[in-house]
Amino acid sequence: MAARFLVVPQWQGSGSDRAMRLVEGAEAILADLPAAATERVEVPLEAGDHEGTGIHRWSSIRLVRERLGRALAEHESDRDDPVIVVGGDCGVEYASIDAVAARARPVLLWADAHADLNSPETSPSGAFHGMVLRALLDDGIVAPEDVLLLGVRDLDDAEAEAIERFGLRRVAADEVADAVAERAGDGADALLYLHVDLDVLDPGVFAGVGFPAPFGLQLGELCDALRAARVGLPLGGAGLCEYAPPEGARDEEAGDDSAAILRIIGAFTR
């Protein structure tokens, strides 16, 4: 399956002290993607203002969302080739999943160490990358029963409460195929969206993230789960986020990161 790529080096949604490393991470991934199938979405240089929302740097996040939405709309005419959005922080996923929801009912596999279920009222940081799934649910873009949480393990109290209140389902890697098939029904009105925050992986496998959490997935487990999910539903889109390479990483470490990222991208489409 062919794919097209939109690289969005947004950092403003991150609450990490390594947020600016997300720009370098996105640029590093960009260098490994096929140039003819890849487009870069420009991100403002300025941090941005909260605009009274309770979300730090909201004005810049809003601008990126608008730009990414336009770029996704331009690709709408050729639906056979899914668009893979490469962040930047997880906040870029709002526009990407919203674009899929405009076409069909999205079934969302959320592969992430974090549930990203805070609201501006409950967030301890005000960082939008910890609110994006909550925003998608609150705005009716994704139905709670169509969300499958994979690898989620680092929760604050408000997020744990939200999982229970929304009734979100947590799945193990070897349960993904059956869980997607259950949500697919006849498949006529549903498309699969695959979200991967690289911190879903165990830090011993992949350390180039802002918020590593122990006891994550192995790389093979994650790739197998992504491929298994695709058996049950057509792929509507995918997102890969939160690559923040360590400062001063050796060439060998950068090469290992690149190989892992390319394996995940391959699991989206092959």
Side-chain angles (χ1 to χ4, degrees), residues 101-228:
R103 298 163 49 193
R105 173 174 62 92
V107 173
L108 173 58
L109 180 66
W110 191 264
D112 199 318
H114 307 92
D116 298 351
L117 283 170
N118 273 297
S119 68
E121 293 73 31
T122 67
S123 172
S125 67
F128 185 66
H129 74 164
M131 307 182 203
V132 60
L133 181 53
R134 176 64 175 271
L136 289 163
L137 289 164
D138 284 349
D139 292 347
I141 293 169
V142 180
E145 60 269 23
D146 287 331
V147 176
L148 303 170
L149 302 176
L150 174 64
V152 169
R153 59 196 183 276
D154 188 5
L155 301 168
D156 58 33
D157 290 344
E159 290 179 305
E161 186 275 332
I163 288 175
E164 183 175 352
R165 180 162 52 83
F166 282 110
L168 303 184
R169 180 174 176 182
R170 301 173 76 166
V171 295
D174 60 2
E175 297 171 333
V176 165
D178 288 342
V180 171
E182 289 171 15
R183 296 311 311 146
D186 64 5
D189 68 339
L191 289 171
L192 177 68
Y193 191 93
L194 299 172
H195 159 76
V196 174
D197 179 329
L198 288 162
D199 66 21
V200 74
L201 295 170
D202 189 84
V205 175
F206 196 96
V209 295
F211 293 96
F215 310 114
L217 297 183
Q218 299 299 305
L219 180 60
E221 278 186 294
L222 174 62
C223 291
D224 287 348
L226 297 173
R227 292 190 179 96

Side-chain angles (χ1 to χ4, degrees), residues 7-10 21-31 86-88 243 245:
V7 178
V8 192
Q10 176 177 286
R21 304 293 297 172
L22 295 171
V23 179
E24 296 186 29
E27 299 290 355
I29 298 171
L30 173 64
V86 176
Y243 179 36

